[in-house]
Amino acid sequence: MFPLILVYVVLTIIRPQDYVPGLDLVPILPVVLMLAFGAWLISRDKTFQAPQFIILPAFLLILMVSEVANGWTGGAVDELARFGPAVIAFFVLGAACSTQKRVRTAMTVFVICAAVLALHGIEQAKTGMGWTGIPIGEGGRIQYVGIFNDPNDLGLLFAATLPMAMFLGRPGAGTMRLVWLGAAALLLYGILLTNSRGAMLAVLVVAGCYVWYKRGIAVAGVLGIIGLTVMKLLSSRMDELDAGEESAAGRVDAWYAGLEMFRDNPIFGVGAGNFTEYNELTAHNSFVLVIAETGFVGFVLWLAFVGYGFWMMLTIVRHVRVPGKDATVEADWATERQMALTLLLSLCGLFASAFFLSRSYMIVMYLIAAMVAGHYVGARRRWPELPFFRLSDGGWRWVPAAMGTIAGFFVLVAVLLRTV
């Protein structure tokens, strides 16, 4: 099961089937996923001990219902085919990442794949063409194939995997430390080559959260201001970052359109994938996209899915144990916390980027979320004192949280529209 889902991760990110002649004729990606799913079905490692394993299938159901509610019954089947693989991959990878060794291995695969895409971008920047046959994009921004054809998606991947590279290169990693730190530098350079403002801000968020954890909010705030100033100097697109700039103004207008769609269709939204049927531009915000397309019901589920991931990793990071005398046990707990902090920072980078992109249904998001859920389930087995999250114990909290988030977007857009 674990090797098969890792192959699926590699194929999803590196995507040889999109540029190697002949592979495009073979349904290699769905075949590997189905094999992994079959292995999961007969495996004893199956787990449903995290709320996300209930929430995600329910969200898929709402995606399907949103199409039916808007008059297109056939759209339910399309949504099952489109988002179903993300649900399957989440279940399989989440069950597989039950040990520290497997989480570390999964991080390794993600970092190596991201580094390969960064090397492709460097070749593009130097020669104008990558080995995939994809030329460098408009404005000299690097791009890849398939789901990473947009430079912003590349930046999102690099920002989310950067903390993993730093974890793998932590002190004590031995001779491989320089390799992983080199990979981290490669990812940072790749982000610069994407010239993605969202990815650059995501790096700033990741760094700020780490400094906040280590040194406090005051130091994080000062370094954040310095970091933002440096980024504005490094990127001309960052220098244009304000609400009145044409691209930013278009995003605000799209957010406003999304909120109007929600106002007209508050229960199930306008239907999954239908945002651009009502507005020329996509939402440019993963939260607004879900609000508009799946309504309040879908957004509550999606917000809960995202929120539980953050909550779980914060629980491990903040958990206080009475130190024991067994050095091996204490070393294991230190590693547990380091892994949780790494995944928490990856989530921060992922969703900081997603805040400026319409990537609510992107497979990479759910693969990383699977690592998070799997890590927590495994951590509870190793450390039974960690709390068990149940929807029945506090799932109702996501309803007022969703209401507050939507209200916050209405206020934010109202303020931004006045500055355009």
Side-chain angles (χ1 to χ4, degrees):
M1 176 176 69
F2 188 51
L4 284 169
I5 196 61
L6 290 183
V7 171
Y8 178 78
V9 170
V10 172
L11 292 172
T12 296
I13 298 176
I14 296 182
R15 311 192 68 78
Q17 65 274 15
D18 286 346
Y19 59 88
V20 175
L23 281 184
D24 58 329
L25 303 176
V26 181
I28 185 170
L29 199 61
V31 166
V32 170
L33 181 60
M34 286 299 101
L35 288 174
F37 183 58
W40 175 83
L41 286 174
I42 62 175
S43 172
R44 295 181 178 179
D45 292 334
K46 288 193 298 294
T47 181
F48 306 95
Q49 296 179 356
Q52 294 94 316
F53 290 103
I54 299 173
I55 295 170
L56 195 58
F59 181 64
L60 170 59
L61 178 61
I62 295 303
L63 290 176
M64 298 168 68
V65 170
S66 71
E67 295 284 21
V68 176
N70 282 276
W72 185 29
T73 305
V77 178
D78 287 351
E79 286 306 314
L80 180 62
R82 184 168 69 100
F83 195 70
V87 177
I88 293 172
F90 176 85
F91 270 74
V92 178
L93 186 58
C97 289
S98 56
T99 67
Q100 290 185 1
K101 181 179 179 181
R102 285 188 170 185
V103 173
R104 187 182 294 109
T105 300
M107 288 184 183
T108 299
V109 171
F110 268 94
V111 171
I112 291 174
C113 290
V116 169
L117 268 60
L119 288 172
H120 177 273
I122 292 174
E123 182 184 28
Q124 257 185 354
K126 288 184 176 180
T127 67
M129 182 76 69
W131 65 70
T132 60
I134 300 295
I136 197 162
E138 184 180 353
R141 304 174 67 192
I142 64 171
Q143 54 188 357
Y144 197 64
V145 297
I147 61 174
F148 298 108
N149 185 251
D150 188 327
N152 295 310
D153 291 320
L154 270 183
L156 179 149
L157 175 68
F158 296 158
T161 53
L162 179 61
M164 301 180 193
M166 296 300 295
F167 168 79
L168 295 171
R170 70 196 186 284
T175 56
M176 289 297 293
R177 187 183 185 196
L178 289 178
V179 174
W180 295 120
L181 292 180
L186 187 62
L187 295 177
L188 280 172
Y189 186 46
I191 290 172
L192 186 63
L193 292 177
T194 65
N195 206 7
S196 169
R197 290 175 292 192
M200 292 180 186
L201 288 173
V203 170
L204 192 61
V205 168
V206 169
C209 290
Y210 180 76
V211 173
W212 187 353
Y213 171 73
K214 288 290 188 180
R215 302 297 180 186
I217 190 171
V219 177
V222 171
L223 293 180
I225 294 172
I226 294 173
L228 186 59
T229 302
V230 171
M231 286 184 175
K232 288 173 74 70
L233 293 173
L234 289 174
S235 170
S236 59
R237 297 185 78 243
M238 283 294 292
D239 192 44
E240 298 169 351
L241 190 64
D242 64 77
E245 184 257 329
E246 183 179 354
S247 176
R251 290 170 187 262
V252 175
D253 289 340
W255 296 358
Y256 174 77
L259 295 178
E260 287 296 300
M261 293 176 208
F262 168 75
R263 183 177 291 174
D264 293 337
N265 303 271
I267 307 301
F268 294 114
V270 297
N274 291 338
F275 192 99
T276 52
E277 296 293 323
Y278 296 83
N279 192 65
E280 183 179 0
L281 295 176
T282 188
H284 289 296
N285 184 293
S286 296
F287 293 81
V288 172
L289 186 66
V290 175
I291 292 170
E293 292 190 345
T294 67
F296 186 74
V297 177
F299 185 64
V300 169
L301 291 171
W302 192 79
L303 185 65
F305 178 85
V306 172
Y308 272 120
F310 281 92
W311 193 354
M312 288 174 168
M313 296 303 96
L314 275 170
T315 298
I316 297 176
V317 170
R318 292 177 173 176
H319 185 69
V320 178
R321 291 182 66 255
V322 177
K325 296 181 180 180
D326 191 330
T328 302
V329 172
E330 296 310 306
D332 285 343
W333 173 246
T335 301
E336 202 81 69
R337 292 187 69 198
Q338 288 175 344
M339 284 185 167
L341 178 61
T342 299
L343 290 171
L344 178 62
L345 293 174
S346 289
L347 288 175
C348 289
L350 180 67
F351 284 96
S353 295
F355 191 85
F356 301 98
L357 297 172
S358 300
R359 298 298 180 266
S360 315
Y361 319 115
M362 186 183 187
I363 183 66
V364 172
M365 179 183 295
Y366 296 94
L367 291 173
I368 293 176
M371 292 173 59
V372 168
H375 178 60
Y376 191 82
V377 170
R380 278 204 71 256
R381 294 172 184 169
R382 295 183 287 274
W383 316 98
E385 65 269 27
L386 290 172
F388 182 57
F389 288 94
R390 295 182 180 89
L391 281 173
S392 58
D393 290 341
W396 61 269
R397 294 188 180 98
W398 299 109
V399 174
M403 293 172 64
T405 302
I406 293 171
F409 269 109
F410 272 101
V411 172
L412 175 62
V413 170
V415 172
L416 290 176
L417 285 174
R418 293 178 181 274
T419 65
V420 176

